Amino acid sequence: MKKKRILLIVTGGVASYKALELLRLLAKDNFDLECVLTDNTKKFINILMFESLLGKKVFTELFSLNETSEMNHIQLANNFDLILVVPATANFIGKISNGLADDLASTILMATKTPTFFAPGMNVNMWENRIVKKNLQKLKDIGYKIINPSHGKLACGQIGVGKLVEIQEIHKIVRNFFNSNNLLKGKKAIVTSGPSIEKLDPVRFLSNFSSGLQGYKIAEQLSRYGAETTLISGPTSIEKPDNVKIRNVDTGIDFLEASIDELPADIFISVAAICDYKMKKVSEHKIKKNKHLEKKFVFEKNVDVLKEISSNNMRPELVIGFSAETEKLVTNTQKKLKEKRCDWIFGNLVSNNKAFNSDSNKVCFINNSDIINWPMMKKEKVAEKIVKEISLFFNKS
Ligand SMILES: Cc1cc2nc3c(=O)[nH]c(=O)nc-3n(C[C@H](O)[C@H](O)[C@H](O)COP(=O)(O)O)c2cc1C
């Protein structure tokens, strides 16, 4: 197999020296590597250390004839499967998010379409600076991946967030990128997540405690595996995943309309906790406390998004449901699998603060032939495992 090519861009901060360890690990994995240092990086580390580890020249100059005659910035920009910026300084993040290209590293990033990961490393005040935050958000919105720094004691002595994540963690992310990348390329996925809200009157609504986290994590993984992913989300307060199209909705009917609008698709995953009931007629005015209050609340069944999509004439090849139960998990989930005519279903217990509003989940995977209890895992891990199963499904058949 052709070796995967990685360009490592090192910018100038106290963590610049850590890029050497990353280079060592990636070289051990047999990646084809090139390295670019900013001018300021050379003030923190000796370029020779990189060159001796790489066994070849490191690029630093935009206007160097020697370097550009071998490989100019356009070649450097377009010859890679992945670009890493480790560490990424506040300065460099600012430059890229504002479209500046005044040295070799920034010019390469302006001229490339290669997936690029930034691993910021900086002082906590810099990290919390609203300009830096805005710049990072801009990068995320454009599609760059950000490997967030961790909390800890910083080189300046302060304690806080800003510390470059462990190099082993970045190494793992790079490996995962190449392992998972493109297994679902060419597939379109729709994920619904979060709660629905159903109006009672102009000021009140019916809803539930769903945080939306599980669906967000699944959407993130699907996108990492190369699927074109749309996340249809009820109101939540969680961060939008990278490279995922978001459609914000409120009611069950909104969820249904947005889901149908996104068809055709290959994968449909219904994680949203859509209220089973809604008001038969939403009161035009605020419902007042009076004697016959209960008569004002007449409910009817809400739309069944999962069932509708399962029966749609553009039914995706793989339709997956989630079943939030408070009792008889397996029996109720199996019943739902049949009723909704989906291919797989994940049952989870949601009573006693389990699953809803928690970052862990214990699910039971059920299809027509199997019932498998998965152990309690972080929602991120559950998402990874589900998407691995999906990728096996499509790569087997
Ligand atoms: C001792 C020292 C340590 C620094 N550490 C960092 C750092 O960890 N992160 C950061 O964003 N900037 C840091 N800076 C500031 C950058 O070096 C500075 O913004 C520089 O312009 C970055 O250049 P570059 O982005 O082109 O590599 C540090 C500066 C000094 C003098």
Side-chain angles (χ1 to χ4, degrees):
M1 226 167 70
K2 207 168 154 249
K3 276 190 188 182
K4 295 287 180 197
R5 305 205 71 210
I6 300 178
L7 173 66
L8 175 64
I9 294 179
V10 187
T11 64
V14 277
S16 299
Y17 75 96
K18 293 187 181 171
L20 279 165
E21 174 62 5
L22 182 60
L23 207 56
R24 190 186 69 78
L25 292 172
L26 295 174
K28 231 170 106 188
D29 283 346
N30 217 14
F31 286 112
D32 195 350
L33 301 163
E34 298 288 351
C35 194
V36 166
L37 308 186
T38 62
D39 234 13
N40 288 326
T41 304
K42 291 187 279 180
K43 296 179 184 128
F44 288 88
I45 34 131
N46 189 323
I47 188 168
L48 250 181
M49 288 153 89
F50 280 88
E51 295 192 322
S52 41
L53 241 179
L54 257 187
K56 56 184 163 187
K57 213 168 159 26
V58 160
F59 298 92
T60 58
E61 302 296 325
L62 181 58
F63 302 107
S64 148
L65 266 187
N66 273 347
E67 286 182 4
T68 53
S69 61
E70 284 167 19
M71 192 182 270
N72 65 25
H73 64 275
I74 299 295
Q75 273 175 296
L76 271 173
N78 294 309
N79 260 329
F80 295 91
D81 301 292
L82 177 67
I83 298 180
L84 300 169
V85 184
V86 182
T89 56
N91 173 61
F92 196 71
I93 289 165
K95 281 210 289 201
I96 303 306
S97 60
N98 287 289
L100 297 185
D102 66 350
D103 62 3
L104 181 61
S106 53
T107 306
I108 288 170
L109 288 195
M110 267 332 107
T112 190
K113 289 187 174 163
T114 306
T116 302
F117 288 16
F118 280 72
M122 63 193 73
N123 162 272
V124 57
N125 292 341
M126 282 173 114
W127 176 250
E128 285 173 358
N129 185 307
R130 282 165 58 199
I131 301 172
V132 175
K133 289 250 172 291
K134 273 194 181 160
N135 289 340
L136 274 164
Q137 192 56 50
K138 238 167 145 183
L139 292 184
K140 273 191 204 172
D141 292 342
I142 294 164
Y144 291 102
K145 300 244 168 52
I146 310 297
I147 306 172
N148 278 330
S150 53
H151 182 277
K153 186 153 189 205
L154 304 168
C156 55
Q158 278 182 284
I159 293 176
V161 179
K163 195 176 160 77
L164 178 73
V165 286
E166 292 297 324
I167 289 300
Q168 284 74 10
E169 186 58 29
I170 301 176
H171 180 227
K172 207 167 100 193
I173 290 169
V174 173
R175 279 183 155 189
N176 282 343
F177 173 82
F178 285 111
N179 287 340
S180 58
N181 204 18
N182 295 338
L183 281 174
L184 290 175
K185 200 176 167 93
K187 303 285 175 214
K188 175 167 177 186
I190 307 169
V191 182
T192 67
S193 195
S196 80
I197 56 170
E198 310 295 340
K199 274 189 168 179
L200 301 174
D201 66 17
V203 292
R204 304 184 182 95
F205 60 80
L206 190 70
S207 190
N208 55 61
F209 294 116
S210 167
S211 67
L213 185 62
Q214 186 64 81
Y216 274 56
K217 291 291 172 199
I218 292 172
E220 188 176 325
Q221 287 298 322
L222 284 165
S223 146
R224 276 200 40 226
Y225 273 63
E228 178 197 338
T229 307
T230 299
L231 175 62
I232 303 172
S233 173
T236 64
S237 53
I238 38 186
E239 205 180 324
K240 163 187 178 290
D242 295 334
N243 293 329
V244 167
K245 174 179 162 192
I246 298 263
R247 294 186 66 154
N248 292 308
V249 296
D250 290 328
T251 67
I253 292 177
D254 295 342
F255 269 106
L256 180 60
E257 284 176 356
S259 301
I260 291 176
D261 192 43
E262 286 294 328
L263 294 176
D266 305 280
I267 306 156
F268 180 76
I269 312 182
S270 166
V271 200
I274 295 169
C275 299
D276 290 333
Y277 297 95
K278 65 181 179 66
M279 281 284 264
K280 196 161 182 164
K281 188 171 180 316
V282 178
S283 173
E284 209 176 309
H285 299 288
K286 187 177 170 199
I287 298 169
K288 295 282 182 202
K289 276 188 246 172
N290 64 26
K291 263 201 224 155
H292 304 293
L293 189 62
E294 66 286 353
K295 289 194 184 142
K296 299 265 170 64
F297 294 96
V298 182
F299 293 103
E300 64 177 5
K301 269 197 177 168
N302 206 352
V303 287
D304 189 332
V305 179
L306 182 54
K307 201 167 166 181
E308 291 282 343
I309 299 298
S310 282
S311 336
N312 192 284
N313 54 11
M314 283 195 279
R315 183 193 198 277
E317 190 176 343
L318 185 60
V319 175
I320 304 173
F322 266 73
S323 175
E325 304 293 340
T326 53
E327 54 168 355
K328 295 186 197 148
L329 179 68
V330 173
T331 324
N332 287 342
T333 307
Q334 272 179 316
K335 209 169 133 214
K336 198 163 164 186
L337 176 82
K338 288 206 174 68
E339 275 173 15
K340 313 273 176 170
R341 291 182 227 122
C342 48
D343 303 295
W344 303 349
I345 196 154
F346 292 92
N348 54 347
L349 281 173
V350 293
S351 52
N352 304 329
N353 285 336
K354 283 178 193 148
F356 276 9
N357 266 328
S358 153
D359 67 352
S360 299
N361 207 358
K362 180 165 169 35
V363 300
C364 176
F365 170 93
I366 301 182
N367 62 13
N368 280 326
S369 49
D370 298 312
I371 301 175
I372 305 166
N373 277 303
W374 289 4
M376 174 68 91
M377 283 181 273
K378 291 264 181 228
K379 286 184 175 169
E380 202 173 326
K381 289 279 163 211
V382 175
E384 255 180 65
K385 204 163 151 59
I386 290 175
V387 176
K388 269 191 187 139
E389 292 292 337
I390 294 173
S391 133
L392 272 176
F393 172 88
F394 280 104
N395 289 296
K396 257 196 288 193
S397 55

